[in-house]
Amino acid sequence: MADTPRQDPSPAAQAPAPAPARRPVPVRWVLLGVLLALLLSMLDGLIVGTAMPTVVDDLGGLDRMSWVVTGYTLATACSTAVWGKLGDLLDRKRVFLASVVLFLVTSVACGLAPSMDALIAFRVVQGLGAGGMGAGAFALIGALVPPRERGRYQGMIAAVMAVGQLGGPLVGGFVTGHLGWRWAFYVNVPVGLVCLAWCGLLLRLPARERQGAVRIDWAGIVLLSGAISAFVMAATWAGSTYAWGSWRIIGLGTLAFALLAGFVVTEHRAPDPLMPPRVYTAHRNFPLTAVLLTVTGMTLFGATLYLPLYQQVVQGATASHSGLLLLPMMIATLLATSLAGKVMSATGRYKLFPVVGAASMVAGMGLLSTAGTDTPHTVTTVSMIFLGIGSGFAMQMANTIAQNSVSMRDMGAASAATNLFRTLGGSLGLALFASLFTSRVHGAPATGPAYTEHVAQATHLIFLVGACAGLAAVAAALAIEEVPLRGQEPPKRAPEGGEEAVKAA
């Protein structure tokens, strides 16, 4: 009788053949969906600002118009840290998508608003969603791309931020002029739906180990929200609605510092703090980047707001091309960011860039401070190039340095903090520069050579103050320690049903 084949009793022989691994989605494609949300959160405020005169003509409420912007900014600033912490505690992807849904629903509600009061209320809720989109986008970038590889994608991130910062007035003017002010809100919907579908299908995050039950730091949320609210309201009203030395502004400033002090004490005692103190104390680079982002945000905000005004009133540029006037700054930002990213990825070195960027920003603001009524366009163009280099080298690199200073478990809180510093820097710049501008042009007729002279003097003072403030950014950049950038961490084994890490292409 013929021998029967011998069966191999080993488990390996009996196990079924493994299923072929799913091909990972290139990170560059995943980032496109995330960056769409970041673009929406940045564009919205500028688009709506352009549409506000038309909104007032339709709904009335001129005395409450500023709250359409202030309420949105306030809600965004207050919610940023909360969204960041929720992403650390819960599923980061789902928290991010929830903020996008909230933003889209309230965008439709804003477009349907029957009155100015309803529009303000909807804008506040929309600002909550925007806070989650901004904080979530930066946290997802930190989770998907380690700092050592960030340079490969830095150009994409910079392009989105530049378009968001400079393209808002252009989009807002076009949409409002051709479709009506309500479409300034409806335009968010198609872009947001693409973002939801894109991220829902392609976004896969490394599995994270969670320990213990989720504990919400309610005391920290209340104290931080109160401090930010008092600060933003003081920054918004100072020099315009109320004098800087009025009891209202002094009272709001005192309240902000008192609540901030209470927040710091609470965070050291909370079992799971909203903004863990270890984020700020683990390495000196994080507080230094906080200074760098705040000062850079304040300075560049002043440049993007008052430079087009100077070019229109003093140099005779047309208002219809006001957005294009900042094109040299945007191009310089993109080129500088791409160069810094390539060098950082190839060499791992990065300290030189924030130093050069901060110094370039000071040089640009200093050059603008010399501008008068007869300054040629060449001077302002060169100044914008310096400012663009400063933005590309300093602001973009600061985010990478900050995220490299913290562990992955605190990525959401750290990303939210950097976004918050940039927002507060812009609010401080708005208050300070608006006060300086008002003090110089107050009482001057809105036309004629006298008004032109007053505007030139006001912008001179604004740019001079911006250059002096930029020296603090230079000092912070010089103090940054160049520590090795964190590379790609090995993916952890996900629990059954969990998500696998996305690998770079």
Side-chain angles (χ1 to χ4, degrees):
M1 185 174 62
D3 294 335
T4 59
R6 184 178 178 182
Q7 301 294 329
D8 187 353
S10 65
Q14 298 176 0
R22 183 173 56 181
R23 185 177 182 180
V25 180
V27 169
R28 195 174 299 274
W29 282 100
V30 180
L31 282 181
L32 283 176
V34 176
L35 293 176
L36 278 178
L38 181 61
L39 178 63
L40 273 180
S41 66
M42 297 184 68
L43 275 176
D44 188 77
L46 296 171
I47 292 177
V48 173
T50 306
M52 281 314 299
T54 309
V55 175
V56 173
D57 289 341
D58 187 19
L59 300 180
L62 178 62
D63 58 326
R64 303 184 301 280
M65 179 184 70
S66 63
W67 279 101
V68 176
V69 177
T70 302
Y72 177 89
T73 304
L74 191 60
T76 300
C78 290
S79 64
T80 294
V82 179
W83 284 106
K85 186 61 178 180
L86 288 177
D88 288 337
L89 293 175
L90 306 174
D91 186 288
R92 202 183 303 280
K93 175 181 175 180
R94 293 181 180 178
V95 170
F96 171 71
L97 294 180
S99 69
V100 177
V101 171
L102 179 62
F103 181 84
L104 293 182
V105 171
T106 48
S107 293
V108 175
C110 288
L112 297 173
S115 66
M116 183 62 75
D117 291 336
L119 178 59
I120 292 172
F122 293 141
R123 282 285 284 172
V124 170
V125 185
Q126 187 189 31
L128 298 177
M133 289 163 59
F138 282 111
L140 288 171
I141 292 171
L144 290 169
V145 185
R148 188 67 172 82
E149 301 177 13
R150 191 71 51 82
R152 298 170 56 190
Y153 311 96
Q154 201 85 316
M156 292 174 57
I157 301 170
V160 168
M161 296 186 70
V163 170
Q165 184 178 16
L166 305 178
L170 291 176
V171 176
F174 178 83
V175 171
T176 303
H178 290 79
L179 301 175
W181 69 265
R182 297 184 185 275
W183 278 94
F185 299 102
Y186 295 151
V187 74
N188 295 329
V189 176
V191 180
L193 290 177
V194 171
C195 171
L196 279 176
W198 196 297
C199 294
L201 293 174
L202 300 183
L203 180 59
R204 299 289 185 271
L205 296 176
R208 293 186 297 158
E209 296 179 358
R210 300 185 182 90
Q211 298 178 351
V214 174
R215 293 170 292 187
I216 305 297
D217 180 16
W218 295 110
I221 292 174
V222 172
L223 289 171
L224 181 62
S225 299
I228 294 174
S229 299
F231 177 81
V232 172
M233 291 171 69
T236 303
W237 289 337
S240 55
T241 306
Y242 306 108
W244 279 91
S246 67
W247 66 266
R248 298 174 182 85
I249 301 302
I250 294 176
L252 284 171
T254 303
L255 178 62
F257 281 107
L259 292 174
L260 183 60
F263 173 73
V264 172
V265 173
T266 299
E267 295 305 275
H268 280 86
R269 297 177 178 177
D272 200 347
L274 178 66
M275 289 183 125
R278 62 178 177 268
V279 171
Y280 299 87
T281 59
H283 198 279
R284 73 182 190 188
N285 278 0
F286 192 88
L288 289 172
T289 55
V291 174
L292 187 60
L293 284 168
T294 302
V295 175
T296 305
M298 180 186 73
T299 305
L300 293 178
F301 187 90
T304 56
L305 185 63
Y306 288 99
L307 183 53
L309 178 65
Y310 169 82
Q311 291 178 309
Q312 291 175 39
V313 176
V314 180
Q315 294 183 324
T318 60
S320 59
H321 295 95
S322 59
L324 297 177
L325 296 175
L326 296 175
L327 192 59
M329 185 189 301
M330 182 171 69
I331 294 174
T333 298
L334 295 177
L335 293 177
T337 304
S338 299
L339 174 62
K342 291 181 182 298
V343 173
M344 181 182 68
S345 291
T347 66
R349 309 299 296 269
Y350 55 86
K351 179 176 178 176
L352 176 66
F353 296 111
V355 173
V356 173
S360 178
M361 181 179 64
V362 172
M365 295 297 281
L367 186 59
L368 285 173
S369 69
T370 65
T373 55
D374 57 350
T375 300
H377 290 280
T378 305
V379 174
T380 52
T381 300
V382 173
S383 303
M384 283 188 284
I385 293 174
F386 275 116
L387 291 173
I389 294 173
S391 175
F393 280 173
M395 181 175 285
Q396 307 300 331
M397 194 63 65
N399 290 312
T400 301
I401 297 172
Q403 290 182 339
N404 190 59
S405 305
V406 301
S407 62
M408 287 300 298
R409 64 171 177 168
D410 293 324
M411 187 61 66
S415 300
T418 56
N419 205 30
L420 177 60
F421 294 135
R422 190 184 304 105
T423 301
L424 292 180
S427 298
L428 179 60
L430 172 63
L432 178 60
F433 297 146
S435 178
L436 294 174
F437 185 84
T438 302
S439 66
R440 291 291 176 173
V441 303
H442 180 70
T447 57
Y451 179 70
T452 301
E453 181 67 30
H454 280 82
V455 170
Q457 293 178 0
T459 51
H460 157 76
L461 184 58
I462 287 171
F463 297 138
L464 180 61
V465 171
C468 294
L471 295 176
V474 175
L478 287 171
I480 288 176
E481 180 184 355
E482 191 169 60
V483 297
L485 291 170
R486 185 170 60 244
Q488 182 70 53
E489 299 178 358
K492 297 179 181 179
R493 181 177 180 84
E496 186 175 352
E499 298 174 325
E500 296 180 354
V502 176
K503 298 181 179 178

